[in-house]
């Protein structure tokens, strides 16, 4: 499978615990994005990387959220001290950016987080 | 007013009908337009990607962009029960910055066998 891969698919955690999600993008894609989607809404941008550099962060990304892409390949998204409002689907996407041209985003199947 | 407006539905049509899905937007800086299909508990799947005004066809799907009216459409011909899903429009500002990818809420489509 050469698509975007996300793990785990589901995560149930208690309020206050830390969680970490992993995303493996399409191998030749240099951009990697994290989005959050709640029921009945479209995906909302959180952050993105070009290679290993984190270039943009949304105001939705509170201090409890941190994302890394240490070698420019896979990425992790960590949420510290989870709150019930963090319950959502966390989507990863990747694209190929060359100069001013950016291919469309291809999404993984997401990690569904439930905070109890 | 949100930047991208999309009727959440649900939209229910009989099998074989032509489906019309639409989005309007308010920011003329949007230059690239996409339609994604999302099945329950899955990630969005890219269906169509267009830049200019006019029509783009791919099999049973036709994407239409009218930049002067800030209106985009997706038509599905000969609709099948397997087309039942949520359809999300998305658009990017010129320059292609990540924060420029803005989604509509999605329209929940039901094709009745």
């Amino acid at each position: 499978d050469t698509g975007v891969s996300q793990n785990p698919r589901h995560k149930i955690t208690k309020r206050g615990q830390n969680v970490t999600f992993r995303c493996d993008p399409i191998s030749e894609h240099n951009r990697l994005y994290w989005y959050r989607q709640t029921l009945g809404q479209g995906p909302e941008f959180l952050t993105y990387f070009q290679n290993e550099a984190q270039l943009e962060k949304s105001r939705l990304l509170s201090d409890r959220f941190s994302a890394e892409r240490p070698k420019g390949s896979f990425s992790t998204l960590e949420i510290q001290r989870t709150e019930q409002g963090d319950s959502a689907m966390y989507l990863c996407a990747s694209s190929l950016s060359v100069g001013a041209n950016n291919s469309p985003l291809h999404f993984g199947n997401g990690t569904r987080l439930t905070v109890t | 007013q949100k930047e991208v407006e999309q009727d959440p539905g649900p939209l229910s049509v009989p099998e074989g009908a032509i489906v019309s899905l639409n989005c309007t937007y308010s920011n003329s800086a949007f230059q690239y337009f996409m339609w994604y299909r999302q099945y329950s508990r899955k990630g969005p799947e890219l269906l169509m990607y267009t830049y200019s005004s006019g029509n783009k066809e791919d099999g049973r799907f036709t994407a239409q962009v009218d930049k002067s009216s800030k209106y985009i459409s997706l038509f599905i011909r000969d609709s099948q029960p397997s087309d039942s899903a949520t359809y999300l429009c998305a658009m990017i500002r010129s320059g292609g910055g990540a924060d420029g990818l803005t989604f509509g809420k999605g329209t929940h489509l039901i094709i009745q066998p």
Side-chain angles (χ1 to χ4, degrees):
Chain A
D1 187 350
T2 57
V4 177
S5 176
Q6 290 188 248
N7 287 288
R9 289 298 313 279
H10 307 276
K11 179 70 177 179
I12 300 173
T13 191
K14 291 186 178 179
R15 185 166 54 92
Q17 297 296 303
N18 299 344
V19 294
T20 300
F21 311 140
R22 176 178 169 126
C23 172
D24 288 88
I26 294 172
S27 58
E28 61 267 28
H29 284 181
N30 54 0
R31 281 196 176 180
L32 185 148
Y33 309 76
W34 286 99
Y35 283 79
R36 181 171 68 188
Q37 186 177 26
T38 53
L39 197 63
Q41 302 295 318
E44 294 175 299
F45 169 76
L46 292 178
T47 188
Y48 92 99
F49 294 83
Q50 173 122 351
N51 299 313
E52 64 275 9
Q54 188 172 16
L55 296 187
E56 195 97 34
K57 289 197 285 188
S58 163
R59 55 182 165 74
L60 293 176
L61 209 68
S62 78
D63 292 344
R64 297 184 296 105
F65 287 68
S66 63
E68 294 183 344
R69 194 183 184 199
K71 297 181 180 178
S73 56
F74 74 92
S75 175
T76 57
L77 177 67
E78 181 183 18
I79 309 174
Q80 296 181 325
R81 304 181 303 282
T82 52
E83 301 173 357
Q84 287 186 323
D86 297 332
S87 296
M89 173 84 90
Y90 289 85
L91 292 162
C92 177
S94 68
S95 71
L96 178 63
S97 177
V98 179
N101 296 316
N102 195 15
S103 71
L105 275 63
H106 293 265
F107 284 84
N109 282 325
T111 294
R112 182 174 296 279
L113 173 65
T114 301
V115 182
T116 62
Chain B
Q1 181 190 11
K2 293 191 69 130
E3 280 191 297
V4 180
E5 298 280 358
Q6 184 176 12
D7 186 339
L11 174 63
S12 184
V13 301
E15 182 177 357
I18 296 174
V19 175
S20 172
L21 303 165
N22 311 295
C23 286
T24 59
Y25 61 96
S26 56
N27 191 336
S28 57
F30 287 127
Q31 296 293 321
Y32 301 86
F33 305 92
M34 284 141 281
W35 285 96
Y36 286 85
R37 177 175 63 195
Q38 187 172 26
Y39 292 112
S40 180
R41 293 183 167 76
K42 297 285 190 180
E45 171 194 7
L46 181 68
L47 285 177
M48 302 287 280
Y49 177 56
T50 59
Y51 169 71
S52 57
S53 284
N55 294 351
K56 181 177 180 180
E57 191 173 315
D58 184 359
R60 295 185 298 112
F61 299 93
T62 299
Q64 191 173 78
V65 174
D66 183 348
K67 289 185 178 178
S68 62
S69 301
K70 298 188 180 67
Y71 188 90
I72 67 170
S73 300
L74 178 71
F75 298 96
I76 307 174
R77 290 183 300 281
D78 187 25
S79 55
Q80 306 293 313
S82 58
D83 294 329
S84 298
T86 296
Y87 289 79
L88 296 152
C89 65
M91 43 199 80
I92 304 177
R93 296 180 185 87
S94 57
D99 66 325
L101 182 59
T102 303
F103 282 87
K105 281 190 171 185
T107 298
H108 182 206
L109 174 66
I110 300 168
I111 307 297
Q112 303 162 340

